[in-house]
Amino acid sequence: MTDTVAVADWQAWQRSWDRQQEWYLPDREERFRVMLDAVEAVVGPAPRILDLACGTGSISDRALRRFPGATSTGVDLDPALLTIARGHFAAEPRAEFVTADLRDPGWAGRLPHRTYDAVLTATALHWLRSDELRVLYGQIAGVVREGGVFLNADHMPDPATPRLNAADHAFRKERQARAQAEGAQDWAQWWQAAARDEVLAGPVAERFTIFGNPADGDHADGETQSVAWHAEALREGGFGEARAVWCSPSDAMVLGLK
């Protein structure tokens, strides 16, 4: 008799992650498209990309499919999401992944390259508090080459429109309830499923030690700021130009040009 070795379907886990994220962000693919359009417009169709707080590598996946000449370095601290990313990209020589904590002042020293044409991130940096994000923006400016670009798509509500914000929030909650009734997983449910997986159980347990179990409450303790705040912080951090290049009622994408 031979032992049966558990093998994860990494592509299935990648798709499952995308579906769970789309439950929160139905316009997720649109923001990825706008992000990569901006990359091509500024640095061309063969960029060296840093996928910041990469998770399972969703940005890298779309960038490498769109740009055959691109390479990507994904950096994250989450051992479970990095396990999925490394499995999903195991046969892709243009992608590599690094474990690092963006709160660690020396995180950039763990990267394989000194500078990148484009640093990209989505729905991740709201984990940080505002003072931490200001510091990170300055560090990112040191990683983006001269003439390169940084793009951050995230929650950036405008406090000047409280009625619109409330209406959008209610609309999104109703849509999510309908989707969940049809079988969509939310954040906590997805992690519960991952914890039950024979291959992912170990990395998920490690992840819970670092970040806590999503079943115990909100997964983020950071702060959200307006688009104007982000643009100002990027300019103060060392970017020559910064402004929004995409928005929805609750989210936006800011671009910093080095």
Side-chain angles (χ1 to χ4, degrees):
M1 296 177 64
T2 59
D3 294 335
T4 300
V5 179
V7 178
D9 185 340
W10 300 119
Q11 283 67 38
W13 276 111
Q14 180 74 267
R15 292 191 297 271
S16 173
W17 174 260
D18 282 341
R19 287 194 300 272
Q20 176 262 134
Q21 290 287 286
E22 287 163 1
W23 184 74
Y24 295 96
L25 308 165
D27 50 20
R28 188 168 178 253
E29 292 302 325
E30 178 185 347
R31 68 186 70 191
F32 286 150
R33 178 188 60 77
V34 173
M35 177 180 284
L36 297 181
D37 282 351
V39 169
E40 185 169 5
V42 176
V43 300
R48 175 190 289 171
I49 292 169
L50 176 61
D51 187 351
L52 197 71
C54 65
T56 65
S58 296
I59 292 175
S60 295
D61 184 59
R62 286 149 181 82
L64 296 181
R65 283 192 275 118
R66 172 162 171 170
F67 303 129
T71 60
S72 181
T73 301
V75 58
D76 207 301
L77 181 61
D78 191 313
L81 298 185
L82 281 174
T83 296
I84 295 172
R86 290 180 171 122
H88 178 68
F89 291 93
E92 175 51 83
R94 297 177 296 157
E96 56 188 326
F97 294 91
V98 173
T99 300
D101 186 347
L102 298 181
R103 292 187 175 99
D104 178 356
W107 68 267
R110 301 179 66 87
L111 302 177
H113 305 290
R114 172 67 184 82
T115 61
Y116 288 81
D117 300 313
V119 177
L120 311 176
T121 187
T123 326
L125 301 189
H126 64 273
W127 282 59
L128 301 177
R129 301 191 66 80
S130 299
D131 56 344
E132 295 172 324
L133 186 53
R134 282 189 184 275
V135 171
L136 181 62
Y137 277 171
Q139 294 170 329
I140 293 169
V143 174
V144 177
R145 69 160 171 84
E146 200 66 29
V149 65
F150 167 68
L151 287 137
N152 176 20
D154 210 339
H155 308 314
M156 300 181 192
D158 188 340
T161 58
R163 288 184 298 163
L164 174 59
N165 297 347
D168 177 65
H169 178 76
F171 173 75
R172 286 187 288 110
K173 287 298 182 183
E174 291 175 3
R175 181 169 55 196
Q176 288 174 348
R178 291 194 301 270
Q180 199 160 28
E182 296 170 357
Q185 289 180 318
D186 65 15
W187 174 262
Q189 291 167 332
W190 189 90
W191 281 107
Q192 290 168 5
R196 293 191 296 268
D197 182 84
E198 184 176 356
V199 177
L200 280 177
V204 169
E206 184 182 353
R207 192 261 181 209
F208 288 173
T209 300
I210 298 171
F211 296 108
N213 190 325
D216 296 333
D218 189 9
H219 71 278
D221 61 356
E223 299 171 309
T224 58
Q225 296 287 355
S226 67
V227 172
W229 184 95
H230 285 273
E232 178 186 6
L234 286 171
R235 288 189 289 266
E236 290 178 353
F239 288 89
E241 298 179 15
R243 70 172 179 87
V245 293
W246 176 90
C247 74
S248 73
S250 58
D251 289 19
M253 180 157 48
V254 291
L255 180 153
L257 184 61
K258 186 71 181 292

